[in-house]
Amino acid sequence: MPEEIKGGNAVFPSLHVSCTMLHEYEVLLKRAEEELNKQEYSLSIIMSHAAIEICTEGAFKLLFSFKGIEYLYDAIVKPSWKYNNLSKKSQQVRNLYSALSGETFDKANPLWKDLETHFDKRHSIAHRGAPSTKQEAELSVRVGKKYVKHVNDTLEKVKPY
């Protein structure tokens, strides 16, 4: 039972609040799962991709801050949308991410292959209206979760405090 707070002649119940704060990318991954469960496979893939992009942008902001060069973020990253994914087709982005984080993009890590498969599928949906399957959507949700965990683990290793 909540405690009561007395004020003047009124008695108010005190509020006990419990919540979990989710990052935008976590909300998008939850939405991707919901769309997958509703058999909205293309939308699930798009939501997974949005989560990956937001996670990447946030990672760059943190990496610039960790290195004490946040003043360069707007000059380098902000003018270009290409800094929202680490596709192997974005070598300049990968090079910058590697320089800031120490990421090696180990070819043996299946995350990078699955990420490329996801990027290609998302591109075909968004730009050509291609249909998608349950398996493709499941892969996208799975790769989105693995990617977010990988990026967060990388950030945890390089943070200065």
Side-chain angles (χ1 to χ4, degrees), residues 52-88:
I52 288 167
E53 288 182 344
I54 287 174
C55 178
T56 305
E57 288 180 34
F60 270 114
K61 286 179 184 176
L62 285 171
L63 288 167
F64 274 73
S65 176
F66 292 170
K67 300 293 184 183
I69 56 171
E70 57 273 358
Y71 61 92
L72 291 174
Y73 181 83
D74 286 346
I76 295 173
V77 175
K78 201 170 184 181
S80 176
W81 284 14
K82 67 182 171 187
Y83 290 98
N84 63 7
N85 79 67
L86 295 175
S87 167
K88 71 179 177 185

Side-chain angles (χ1 to χ4, degrees), residues 9 15 24 43 46 60 82 95 100 102-104 107 121 130 136 151 155 161:
N9 293 332
L15 298 176
E24 291 171 317
L43 188 53
I46 297 296
F60 270 114
K82 67 182 171 187
N95 290 343
L100 294 170
E103 174 66 61
T104 61
K107 291 178 185 176
K121 185 60 188 181
E136 290 166 331
V151 168
L155 292 171
Y161 40 90

Side-chain angles (χ1 to χ4, degrees), residues 114-127:
D114 289 345
L115 193 64
E116 290 306 315
T117 301
H118 159 78
F119 282 145
D120 291 342
K121 185 60 188 181
R122 180 264 172 202
H123 185 81
S124 68
I125 291 167
H127 298 284

